Amino acid sequence: MSAGVGQMVCVGDELPPLEIEITRTLIVAGAVASRDYQDVHHDAELARQKGSPDIFMNILTTNGLVGRYITDHFGPTAVLRRVAIRLGVPNYPGDTMVLTGTVEGVAEVEGEDAAGKTVTVKVAGANGIGKHVTGTVTVTVPGGTDGVGRS
């Protein structure tokens, strides 16, 4: 469910989890789309020669998935303002990453061009071997002061 205009969002609210299947196609497509041609993101044999059990997801793909998680929740008018993430364990093919989020802050935004709320969300993504990503995302939800609430 989107938490855009008309939905109250308060500090402490938890976003619904998002499960993402980690496939070879997702890993390779993300690497190619972000122009990351490092062999560890597309060649399993070379990844093994470098000490990895398989290819693994790059940080730009993870960053994009975190952004998608937030904008899917807050709706199509949401604007990502800041995405600060840190990688942990790798995402390997055949695993599932579960993204979760908790609202840490809500502030009013007013200006000539836009009004709405800025929401800060603490995010985490875990897979079968541990935490893949942790961080904080700041998003602006336009639409006036009735769009997002403050706790």
Side-chain angles (χ1 to χ4, degrees), residues 73-134:
H73 180 73
F74 288 100
T77 60
V79 177
L80 295 174
R81 297 296 181 187
R82 182 173 184 266
V83 179
I85 62 170
R86 180 181 201 128
L87 289 183
V89 301
N91 265 338
Y92 293 117
D95 209 340
T96 300
M97 178 174 62
V98 179
L99 290 168
T100 57
T102 304
V103 175
E104 288 194 322
V106 180
E108 291 188 35
V109 175
E110 294 185 30
E112 293 179 22
D113 297 331
K117 299 284 182 173
T118 295
V119 181
T120 302
V121 181
K122 181 178 180 180
V123 295
N127 60 33
I129 57 176
K131 286 189 179 177
H132 170 68
V133 63
T134 56

